[in-house]
Amino acid sequence: MIKFPKPTVEQFFRSYVISNFTVSPNEDRLLFSSNISGTMNIWAMNLPDQYPYLFAHQDESSNFLKFDPEGRYVLAGFDRDGDENYQIYAVSPEGGLPQPLVTGESEEKYFYSHLSEDGERLYYVTSKDNPSFLNTRVRNLETGKDDLVHEGELGPTPLSAVSEDEKSFVFSTTLANTYSIAFVKTEDGVFDLTPDREKVHVSGGATFVADNTIYFVTNYESEFNYLAKFDLTTKTFDKVLEIENESIEDLKYDKEQEQFYLVTEKGVTDYLYRYDVKNGTLENIDAPVDVIEKVQVAKSGNVYILGRSAVIPHNIFKYNESGWKQITANRVLGVSPEEMVDPEVVTYESFDGMEIEALLFRAKPENDNGHTVFWPHGGPQAAERKFYRAMFQCLLNRGYTIFCPNFRGSTGYGSSFVKLVEQDWGEGPRLDNVYAIEWLFEQGISSPERLFLVGGSYGGYMALLLHGRHPEYFKAVVDIFGVSNLFTFVNSVPDHWKPIMKRWLGDPEKDRERFEKDSPITYLDGMEKPMLVIQGAKDPRVVKEESDQIVDKLRSEGREVEYLVLDDEGHGFSKKENEINVYQTMLQFLEKHQTVSQKV
Ligand SMILES: CC(=O)N[C@@H](C)C(=O)N[C@@H](C)C(=O)N[C@@H](C)C(=O)O
């Protein structure tokens, strides 16, 4: 019979992201943001089960999608070439070209926040007039009148929730990724949702279940986020529900049934629950994916989720009493999940006895080229989780094993663990990475002759730092928009990050010595291995100057550095052509530097 060859790496180049979705109020239409056509656009499916069609053409990523409850328009946010200066556009219900609605100078940001029940008042948060702390405004879409609702102070202060009568507003001031204060502004005054704002904690997900009752999640006096309640009549805070060793990261309310859908995070996996407010029962719902990125509950009680697993790319699923139904059929070109690699979850002991969890993707024996890619994740207050990455499956297809440690500072292991990277970017987390590498050698999984180092963003920073301080471990290094110099980085981040830099990273004056010790650029002499640097020219988080300076300095000393700059990308690669260019360049670079005897 006809025989087909095993999948090639090019097939993995052809997998697509779905970065966002929304379902219309009567559930007859699904909108999602995807790069199916090569660039990010808004696609639609008439439900149930109809062929996807282009709904709105902008060739840009969309950070939110919202249907007018009356069906007169759709709202969407777009930036330009990854600059993250999102602005708000309106699209006709028939679809078409998005029209600017709440927009301003190209460097300003306008974030969608809330739409009134009648679809007439749009609440949004903007950098205009308050770039670091952000203002909340409301635009009457009928009259065009635009009013200030709240002026942010102390830290970026977005609007989190609005009561149905539009008389109470919950805001949240971010002082660090691990410290945010939620408060409610009412006709009677302003009240914090938690008892003591001086205690470091986070609050989020505020939801009005009635005009006088707010549910939200917080880790106030706890390691993990739990469900809490604030009563506006009595001004009291109550813990409602905690789930042992799991952190509630998202909650969506089903008003009809008076129940919450909760997404919890535990290490590398998410879990989905239904919590009944009336009788206090909690039920686990087995989800079809390991990582859940968005949940929407329709008026009917149907639940829609967007998620992915290590071997399942982004897809949208619907859940009701009949169980789960997959709505989108996003898959890797001609490759089944069984032909991909699911990671093992392993642990190792670090320098101080702390146990660190990691993902180990072992190349299949028939592909194995003997080499390992060591991947410190970005963030750093994020984690490598069981989610599909085209880049990982490309590398695995070419025979590379991949190791991803969730070093101290990673999320999913409690708030104390996350805080360990604050004002310590380069010591504890670096040693966790060093111990991971030693563990790989002890286990016989890798050796310095067969180890590559690849990382993006904070992961790129860690790749540069490990390269400079421990070059003996690696064959070659790939830095994707990594921070190279803490002194320049601290001043170049977006304005609304500036209020949190001190707690996150430190003060360049007071912490001069540490900044110098933890800046990769201090260790240029050690960077003796071949290096590939990849950077988006429009990156607003780790600006191009971070990559330029390390490339220029190394080249001036005659080191081997390849430099790939994508002119129309930011902190990531959203355009298919650019993504393929990045993967091909990276694969060629790694192949060139494989140990000759090991090449397949
Ligand atoms: C609330 C907020 O915006 N925090 C930021 C400071 C933040 O933590 N951003 C990270 C997600 C981020 O973009 N970090 C870069 C350096 C990365 O590693 O990707």
Side-chain angles (χ1 to χ4, degrees), residues 59 78 81 85 95 188 191 307 315 317 332 335 342 364 394 452 476:
D59 277 346
F78 298 102
D81 291 335
N85 295 326
D188 300 341
F191 310 96
N315 271 293
F317 304 81
V332 183
V335 188
D342 229 346
K364 289 188 188 274
C394 282
F452 291 112

Side-chain angles (χ1 to χ4, degrees), residues 156 174 176-177 377-382 425 456-459 481 483 489 496-497 500-501 504 541-542 571:
T174 303
N177 290 330
H377 64 75
Q381 289 168 315
W425 276 38
S457 199
Y458 177 87
F481 40 73
V483 175
F489 171 67
H496 67 291
W497 284 21
I500 69 180
M501 291 313 280
W504 198 36
R541 305 187 193 196
V542 180
H571 202 66

